[in-house]
Amino acid sequence: MFDPIQFKSNFPLFFQKENQSLVYLDNAATTQKPQCVIDAVTDFYITKNANANRASHRLARSATNLLEGVRQKSADFLGARYKDEIVFTAGATESLNFLAQGLSHQLNKGDEILLSVYEHHANLVPWQVIAKETGAKLVFISGDFESVGNQLTSKTRIVSCTAASNVFGKISDVDFFKNVKDKFPGVFFIIDASQVIGKIPVNVKDNFCDFLVCSPHKFYGPTGIGLLYGRKDCLSRLRVSKFGGEMIKNVDLLDSSYVEPPYSFEAGTSPLASIAGLGACIDFVERQYKKGMLEYEKKLINYVHEKLSVLVSDFPEVNLLTSPRNNIGIAAISSDKYSMADIGFWLDEQDVAVRVGDHCAQPLLKSLNLTAVLRVSVAPYNTFEDIDVLFSCLCDFFNSNSECLDVALATDKKVSNYKDELSAINYHDLLTIRSWGNRYKKILSLGKLVNKKPFLHNNESLVSGCEAKLWINTIVDKSQNGTVFTFVIDSDSMVVKGLAALILCRVNAKSATQIKSIDFDAYFSELGLEKYLSESRFSGMQALLKHIFLTIK
Ligand code: PMP
């Protein structure tokens, strides 16, 4: 039997005082790390630290042994025939960049690269760059993976697809690749297995791909290390795109030659401590009762879907976008009415960690007419109680905030018509409210005063450094009494609108000198914002202030 409580006991983060009420449901972004992985990273620095491949002393030899030992372990873990089929990279993103750069010389004008709309930006943008450079064409699998065979043409050179969507969790059946691969021997088949390794069994010996990439930090390993598997004959056809020390056979002033793969792809000093952690991580995963773990995760994701189905039936403006069938452990919701960013903030205030946004899959969201999705992603250390906490916080949000969040849509596109939008705000009202919870609600209601202005939603108006989207436009009024500034805003988050309103009610219709004389630190601490707001929301406010000060300079 798989025991989630015993499993969780391996992860020290959950037992730190500050994390005892943490409900961590952002595992598709990165998982927590077990003690054995943390120990392996630390132990490397304490007992083994030296650079590998410079075997002139004892420690360097032991670092080299570590590197090659973990390479062998990684090869066994993925089912590779040879250890030299494993390249250590910085992560799935770097692996995919290596593949796109390294295969570009195989592409001619009009050749086709077949991808799916489910791809993470890491498996899309590098191909866009290469397609532009070579004149190759990006083609997208329409429909499900079952149809992949019908979509390969005589022009297809590369097929690169995710083994599971990082937004919807749907597992792609890579067996379809296996059937097709034999019929198209000249095509490179690439699998982005970032979301599945460590969860479902994957064995490259089954010959469904030529290359496979993954990021161990998504299955309990450290960050900073990635794996790129390439079948021996394919890896040797990959062009090197990163150059420097360690990958060199000979260097003259005008030309150089390189060593063989995988070393030709490992320029520079390898992330040895992370590699030590990866070794411990593979041992850790291999020690688990994998079948039981997978079954437990399935039960968890079923339960998440059960709860979310209740939620969407109680709050019909919320849409459940996923189904538990064939799912890697992800549930996703969206809504036209409620701001996903606000729900994320609300959950965060209660220490429930989920991810909100486009999940680095903008084309997928756009194809479904969505701008943001709230994603819940489970791991086997999550419990059914975690899901109950999530559900109860979500219900609280919709029950207590729904009236605050329904905002009129501005139809008037003239920014100056919104100049007085915030003139009724009196921040002193906020100071009379004692409890932080009620202040938070008041901030939400201030957000309601800010009309929705879709015409502001463009890159020029976007303030960078905010967690949610914040768009701003400035009206400069010049008269004989001097120049005064008014800022008009919109955001996809009601909380951010409310917080921005608290700043703008102090600065709007004022001159640069007047604005500069305001003591914002004192103001924020008087409002209690610094103390109660989470760091990221607070830094969003600082980003807005920075923008204002740059504008009035
Ligand atoms: N592909 C998929 C499917 C992913 O989920 C991710 C990470 N979210 C990546 C690629 C990129 O991984 P990394 O950021 O670790 O390079």
Side-chain angles (χ1 to χ4, degrees), residues 309-346:
S309 302
V310 174
L311 188 87
V312 298
S313 68
D314 288 350
F315 302 97
E317 298 88 355
V318 183
N319 309 310
L320 177 56
L321 304 167
T322 48
S323 113
R325 254 194 70 240
N326 227 1
N327 186 316
I328 202 66
I330 289 177
I333 56 171
S334 72
S335 174
D336 288 338
K337 182 178 170 191
Y338 302 107
S339 149
M340 290 297 115
D342 283 331
I343 305 176
F345 292 160
W346 177 266

Side-chain angles (χ1 to χ4, degrees), residues 126-189:
W127 300 114
Q128 290 175 345
V129 173
I130 294 308
K132 278 190 193 131
E133 271 171 31
T134 59
K137 215 172 113 193
L138 298 187
V139 180
F140 294 90
I141 297 174
S142 54
D144 271 337
F145 280 75
E146 286 86 336
S147 63
V148 71
N150 306 330
Q151 300 186 40
L152 268 87
T153 70
S154 59
K155 293 189 175 156
T156 312
R157 294 284 163 269
I158 294 167
V159 180
S160 187
C161 289
T162 183
S165 159
N166 64 311
V167 187
F168 298 136
K170 187 166 184 284
I171 302 169
S172 335
D173 193 341
V174 286
D175 275 349
F176 290 104
F177 284 47
K178 198 169 148 187
N179 302 336
V180 181
K181 200 172 158 334
D182 295 339
K183 297 193 194 112
F184 290 85
V187 177
F188 292 103
F189 283 81

Side-chain angles (χ1 to χ4, degrees), residues 23 56 111 151 185 231 237 251 299 303 324 331 478 481 500:
V23 173
S56 50
D111 284 348
Q151 300 186 40
R231 228 188 38 233
R237 290 166 70 194
V251 178
K299 282 187 195 148
Y303 189 59
K478 291 187 178 164
N481 299 333

